[in-house]
Amino acid sequence: MSGHGSGPPSWAQLGKLGLLSALPCFVFGFLDNSIMLVAGDAIESSLGAKLGLSGLACAALGNVVADTTGSSAPPPAARLPACLPPTCLPAQQQMRAARLTTASAGAVGIIIGCLVGCFPLLFIEGDGAEGKPEAA
């Protein structure tokens, strides 16, 4: 089947649909995690000790900054699917395979984006030895 009719979407169509679904989620996860880490570290080093905030409280406040930033300025990748031609016909997009592809690709995109968004940890100074036993 060619995949261009009203039959089930082809593997190529599902692959493109998955990519279009994963990309904005990846960008969101990346930006959300990286901004949260940088903002949380800045809050911890500037206000954390003065106000007696725990590291987790500073991270939570950093998440407020990240979520506010993300909601007020959506990344260009969030608009990408609207700019590209659809990979499937509307009837195909309602089919189970397309819905599963969209949902699973979005989840994978956000997971990978969040993991890659941890890169600020490479640059945030800390003793890194809290709660770790010393090597013998």
Side-chain angles (χ1 to χ4, degrees):
M1 182 167 285
S2 69
H4 296 290
S6 61
S10 68
W11 284 106
Q13 287 174 303
L14 291 174
K16 290 176 186 175
L17 181 63
L19 185 60
L20 289 175
S21 300
L23 185 60
C25 294
F26 171 86
V27 172
F28 170 79
F30 173 81
L31 291 175
D32 191 56
N33 238 19
S34 58
I35 292 170
M36 186 264 312
L37 288 169
V38 171
D41 184 56
I43 291 168
E44 186 174 33
S45 65
S46 62
L47 296 175
K50 293 177 188 172
L51 300 177
L53 300 174
S54 69
L56 288 175
C58 294
L61 292 173
N63 193 46
V64 170
V65 173
D67 288 351
T68 303
T69 303
S71 68
S72 63
R79 295 186 300 270
L80 181 62
C83 298
L84 297 175
T87 61
C88 301
L89 296 171
Q92 290 174 316
Q93 292 176 1
Q94 299 304 314
M95 293 181 179
R96 185 172 189 260
R99 291 192 324 268
L100 286 173
T101 297
T102 299
S104 58
V108 169
I110 203 164
I111 290 167
I112 294 171
C114 286
L115 291 173
V116 175
C118 289
F119 85 92
L121 293 173
L122 298 171
F123 306 103
I124 294 174
E125 292 186 24
D127 60 20
E130 294 177 8
K132 293 184 182 175
E134 289 188 25

